[in-house]
């Protein structure tokens, strides 16, 4: 379970988004194992407005409507394929929070390659929402993709 407490996993599984912190949201993405689609649950049409800022909600909706996906890689691993066990074994999560903004940096190795992904959050009322996701190691930013 990547060292997560039962309470964090329970909070993520229960859908109690208003009580979730940026740290618990990101740890929840990686806790279920990438193959189990934790991120896919967040970006599903039924949940995306709860977890993402409007610009990313629109991007995911546009991606859903196109035959040739504009997001043609796994965002959480920054690639087409991944070694779930290596990611779980090497995963490091660091959170910086200030006011209504937070950044969660995720570092891991995938097929021996170092990866660094940043999840940027903003507080929207009582909830934290993902405003952007960027790979600092592969130099892409989700908000810059166009569908």
């Amino acid at each position: 379970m990547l060292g997560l407490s039962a309470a964090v996993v329970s909070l993520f599984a229960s859908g109690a988004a208003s009580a979730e912190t940026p740290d618990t949201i990101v740890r929840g993405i990686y806790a279920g194992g990438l193959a189990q689609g934790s991120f896919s649950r967040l970006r599903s049409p039924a949940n995306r407005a709860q977890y993402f800022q409007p610009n990313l909600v629109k991007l995911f909706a546009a991606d859903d409507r196109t035959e040739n996906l504009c997001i043609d890689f796994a965002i959480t691993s920054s690639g087409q394929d991944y070694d779930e066990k290596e990611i779980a074994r090497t995963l490091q999560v660091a959170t910086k929070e200030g006011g209504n903004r937070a950044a969660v940096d995720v570092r891991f190795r995938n097929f021996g390659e170092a990866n660094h992904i940043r999840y940027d959050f903003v507080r929207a009322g009582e909830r934290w929402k993902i405003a952007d996701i960027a790979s600092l190691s592969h130099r892409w930013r989700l908000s810059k993709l166009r569908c």
Side-chain angles (χ1 to χ4, degrees), residues 26 54 89 128:
V26 172
R89 187 175 59 255
W128 284 99

Side-chain angles (χ1 to χ4, degrees), residues 31-135:
L34 298 178
Q36 295 181 18
S38 297
F39 187 79
S40 296
R41 283 192 300 278
L42 296 185
R43 79 167 267 188
S44 72
N47 294 328
R48 61 179 60 142
Q50 180 177 332
Y51 288 98
F52 296 95
Q53 284 291 95
N55 63 320
L56 295 184
V57 170
K58 290 177 188 172
L59 176 67
F60 293 141
D63 188 49
D64 291 345
R65 288 189 304 268
T66 184
E67 262 184 51
N68 300 320
L69 299 175
C70 59
I71 305 172
D72 63 350
F73 60 96
I75 295 167
T76 55
S77 65
S78 191
Q80 296 287 353
D81 202 6
Y82 51 87
D83 179 342
E84 194 169 315
K85 289 180 181 178
E86 182 180 19
I87 291 172
R89 187 175 59 255
T90 61
L91 186 71
Q92 298 174 5
V93 180
T95 302
K96 293 178 187 169
E97 210 175 300
N100 290 328
R101 298 196 174 275
V104 181
D105 286 320
V106 178
R107 296 174 190 265
F108 57 86
R109 298 192 76 71
N110 187 27
F111 298 114
E113 181 181 337
N115 284 272
H116 181 184
I117 298 176
R118 175 168 293 152
Y119 294 80
D120 293 319
F121 284 81
V122 295
R123 185 179 290 281
E126 293 297 313
R127 298 181 187 276
W128 284 99
K129 293 188 178 186
I130 299 171
D132 209 354
I133 303 171
S135 171

Side-chain angles (χ1 to χ4, degrees), residues 1-2 4 9 12 26-34 36 38 91:
M1 258 314 174
L2 304 177
L4 295 176
V9 173
F12 181 73
V26 172
R27 287 182 185 276
I29 289 170
Y30 291 89
L34 298 178
Q36 295 181 18
S38 297
L91 186 71

